[in-house]
Structure formats: C-alpha cells, structure tokens
Amino acid sequence: MDKLAYVFGTTILVAYSYLIGKFPHDVIYAYSTLLMLFLLCYRYYSYWSNGYFYYLYDFCYIANFCMLVLLNFAPKSQSLLITCFIFSNGPLAAAIAAFRNSLVYHRVDMLTSLAIHAIPMTLMTHIRWVTVP
C-alpha cells in the first residue's frame, strides 16, 4: 500500500506542475477540478466511515467548494474571484503552517490535507497573475 500511495502522490505533484506550466489557461482547471473532487470524495468517505464527519464542516472545504464553483460555473464573477483569492491566500495558506501540513508521499491522508490547503492557494495565485489580464 505504501508503494502505491507513493506513486499516487508523486504522480499528482508531477502532473500538477507539468500542467500548470504547459497548459496554463485551460487544462489545469479541468485537472484541478477532477483532482479536488477525487480528493474531497476520498476525504468524505474516510472521515465519514471513521466517525470524523464533523471535521467536514471546516473552513477549508467551504473555500475549496467556492473555488470549484468559480472554476466551473462562474468564471467571470469578479466578486467570487476576489473572495476565493482572499480565502485561499489567507486562512488556507496560514493553515499550512499552523497545522504543519507536510508533503508525505506514502500517506494519502497527509497528501490530501496538503492538497486541500495548497492547491487553491497556487491556483488562485496563478489565476490572478497569469490568467486575468
């Protein structure tokens, strides 16, 4: 299981880095949407089955949901873009340091925690400084 999780974590990181550099205006948004939906469904299943479902009311899941709405349903909404940018680069960025999220390739739970906090931050910064003219 550890080897499979290591390959999964490495693939997520390498694919995200490649796509944000190679296709900065289109493919990265679809990849981020699919990745976040997969990771959030995984987190929902694992937390619900272990009885930790109250943790799913945390602010980071609301910020990720706002980011997914912005990417897929309201890409021209300036107020939602500003809100998602502030959520992603404020509380979510501070939570990475506060909760000591670390990049541990062989633990899918820790990788999911880091992705839930770091991907919105990098993606909103990318949208603000690369995509928006």
Side-chain angles (χ1 to χ4, degrees):
M1 181 64 182
D2 287 343
K3 191 167 192 163
L4 180 66
Y6 180 78
V7 170
F8 176 70
T10 306
T11 305
I12 286 175
L13 181 65
V14 169
Y16 185 78
S17 302
Y18 174 75
L19 290 174
I20 205 166
K22 179 78 173 170
F23 306 105
H25 299 294
D26 49 3
V27 177
I28 188 64
Y29 305 126
Y31 177 76
S32 298
T33 298
L34 293 175
L35 178 63
M36 294 311 292
L37 286 175
F38 175 75
L39 291 176
L40 290 173
C41 288
Y42 167 76
R43 177 59 58 94
Y44 177 80
Y45 172 74
S46 66
Y47 275 18
W48 193 268
S49 63
N50 290 328
Y52 301 145
F53 50 88
Y54 285 119
Y55 287 111
L56 296 172
Y57 294 119
D58 197 15
F59 179 75
C60 60
Y61 300 106
I62 296 168
N64 278 288
F65 178 73
C66 288
M67 183 193 70
L68 291 175
V69 168
L70 173 72
L71 292 177
N72 297 306
F73 301 113
K76 300 209 185 278
S77 173
Q78 184 178 4
S79 60
L80 187 58
L81 174 69
I82 292 169
T83 303
C84 289
F85 185 83
I86 291 171
F87 283 174
S88 299
N89 292 305
L92 291 184
I96 292 173
F99 299 128
R100 294 188 201 163
N101 293 133
S102 55
L103 184 60
V104 180
Y105 290 112
H106 61 277
R107 299 217 22 220
V108 179
D109 189 47
M110 292 182 77
L111 184 69
T112 303
S113 294
L114 180 64
I116 285 173
H117 292 94
I119 287 180
M121 181 180 61
T122 58
L123 198 60
M124 288 297 113
T125 303
H126 174 76
I127 288 172
R128 169 61 185 93
W129 295 110
V130 177
T131 303
V132 176

